[in-house]
């Protein structure tokens, strides 16, 4: 599998051309559960992507790219995912599909776009599928959303479920604390997992759930589980790419920072500012000389 992008100089950085890759399909992702159990498949890798360039850079390394509604906070500076709109998800979803050739692209259905009824969910899901070209959508909720998930799946829309800490429900949950600490709550999350898997979702994100509960769900359901603050036993893992890259100083406990992008960006901005102010930028090599 090639990871090299060749820049088409005629159209510059907007349209890097990748060596052809076959995009992973929803059935291939679903089948990974059995392969992992048989010891022949690797855990699923999922990262969020919101822009074409980030998709281009991460695509070859991921099984799934998630256009998460976390873009509300990461890209738009919103206080939560609640204000995120269908239009935002459609625009960023389309960009990520344009920037990828290998990973299955999954787009989040934003708050308010699917909860009212299965028919509302289908109308908005179809719009997202048409406008983005993504292979699948993700929506939050367990037992309460099972009939909606079944309605979408039966009509040709592959769905990733999302249970445990569901950020769109932050106002109802009262915060972003881990879920499943009490026996009652743990039981409800396990029931949610069964309901979502039984409804036909092809994968399940488990977020912010105490480890033994996430591990037990992974053992119990027939679809791949993707953990975030869940368990190393999950069938895959997902992180918000900007968290993983260290773009933010404050991150939840479950984030591992693989770099310090915040310091990198601030330091380069400071250097650039210094060179503009002392007139060392632009130098001769950045300027156009007149033709002789
Ligand atoms: O919106 C998002 O980025 C997500 C992941 C954190 C799973 O739902």
């Amino acid at each position: 599998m090639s990871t090299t992008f060749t820049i088409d100089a005629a159209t510059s950085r907007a349209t890097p051309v990748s060596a052809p890759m076959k995009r992973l399909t929803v059935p291939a992702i679903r089948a990974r559960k059995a392969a992992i159990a048989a010891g022949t498949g690797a855990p699923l890798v999922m990262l969020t992507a919101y822009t074409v360039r980030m998709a281009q850079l991460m695509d070859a390394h991921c099984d799934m790219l998630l256009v998460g509604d976390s873009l509300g906070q990461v890209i738009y500076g919103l206080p939560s995912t609640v204000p995120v709109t269908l239009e935002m998800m459609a625009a960023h979803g389309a960009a990520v599909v344009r920037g990828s050739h290998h990973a299955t692209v999954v787009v989040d259905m934003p708050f308010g776009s699917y909860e009212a009824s299965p028919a509302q969910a289908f109308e908005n899901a179809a719009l997202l599928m048409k406008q983005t070209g993504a292979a699948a959508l993700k929506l939050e909720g367990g037992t309460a959303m099972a009939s909606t998930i079944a309605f979408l799946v039966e009509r040709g829309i592959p769905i990733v479920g999302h249970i445990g800490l569901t950020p769109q429900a932050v106002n109802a949950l009262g915060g972003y604390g881990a879920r499943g600490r009490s026996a009652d709550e743990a039981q409800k999350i396990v029931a949610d997992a069964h309901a979502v898997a039984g409804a036909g979702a092809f994968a399940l994100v488990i977020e912010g759930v105490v480890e033994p509960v996430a591990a037990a769900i992974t053992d119990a359901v027939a679809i791949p589980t993707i953990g975030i603050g869940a368990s190393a036993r999950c069938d895959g893992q997902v992180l918000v790419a900007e968290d993983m890259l260290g773009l933010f100083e404050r991150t939840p406990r479950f984030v591992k920072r693989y770099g310090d992008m915040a310091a990198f960006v601030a330091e380069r901005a400071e250097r650039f500012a210094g060179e503009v102010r002392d007139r060392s930028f632009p130098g001769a090599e950045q300027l156009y000389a007149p033709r002789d």
Side-chain angles (χ1 to χ4, degrees):
M1 180 174 68
S2 169
T3 57
T4 308
F5 286 97
T6 310
I7 303 294
D8 169 5
T11 48
S12 187
R13 67 173 75 77
T15 54
V17 177
S18 74
M21 284 182 192
K22 203 169 174 323
R23 202 186 273 280
L24 276 168
T25 62
V26 164
I29 299 291
R30 168 76 179 73
R32 193 72 69 85
K33 180 84 180 187
I36 292 169
T40 56
L44 289 160
V45 178
M46 184 191 241
L47 281 170
T48 61
Y50 317 121
T51 63
V52 70
R53 188 61 184 141
M54 288 295 279
Q56 287 163 351
L57 292 170
M58 298 188 300
D59 182 40
H61 309 289
C62 293
D63 299 302
M64 286 181 276
L65 290 173
L66 172 65
V67 188
D69 61 355
S70 50
L71 62 75
Q73 292 107 314
V74 176
I75 301 281
Y76 290 97
L78 295 169
S80 74
T81 55
V82 172
V84 171
T85 64
L86 265 178
E87 290 71 23
M88 289 175 186
M89 298 313 301
H92 289 275
V96 169
V97 170
R98 282 195 294 274
S100 59
H101 307 267
H102 164 68
T104 303
V105 176
V106 180
V107 176
D108 262 344
M109 295 197 74
F111 177 70
S113 70
Y114 60 93
E115 300 91 332
S117 67
Q120 180 219 21
F122 182 79
E123 190 176 326
N124 290 325
L127 182 142
L128 280 179
M129 298 289 282
K130 285 173 194 279
Q131 294 196 355
T132 64
L137 304 177
K138 175 166 82 60
L139 59 83
E140 296 182 7
T143 310
M145 282 300 128
S147 57
T148 297
I149 293 172
F151 191 88
L152 296 177
V153 171
E154 283 160 13
R155 285 157 182 77
I157 299 182
I159 294 292
V160 175
H162 184 157
I163 60 164
L165 170 58
T166 47
Q168 292 176 10
V170 62
N171 292 304
L173 297 175
Y176 295 104
R179 316 298 299 166
R181 289 194 195 279
S182 72
D184 278 0
E185 210 171 77
Q187 218 169 40
K188 183 188 174 310
I189 295 168
V190 173
D192 283 342
H194 284 293
V196 170
F202 73 93
L204 178 62
V205 168
I206 307 176
E207 178 168 358
V209 168
V210 294
E211 199 278 335
V213 174
I217 291 170
T218 298
D219 290 342
V221 297
I223 57 174
T225 59
I226 317 291
I228 173 164
S231 172
R233 297 247 312 272
C234 286
D235 300 304
Q237 301 293 329
V238 58
L239 282 179
V240 169
E242 284 75 1
D243 284 345
M244 181 273 288
L245 293 167
L247 192 61
F248 300 101
E249 287 81 3
R250 281 194 60 221
T251 50
R253 172 189 167 83
F254 56 71
V255 171
K256 180 170 175 184
R257 294 169 101 242
Y258 287 81
D260 192 351
M261 214 167 134
F264 181 91
V265 171
E267 198 262 331
R268 269 61 181 186
E270 186 182 13
R271 264 170 53 189
F272 173 72
E275 291 187 11
V276 169
R277 290 183 183 123
D278 71 13
R279 296 196 179 278
S280 58
F281 176 85
E285 58 283 18
Q286 284 96 34
L287 298 174
Y288 298 101
R291 284 210 173 86
D292 299 327

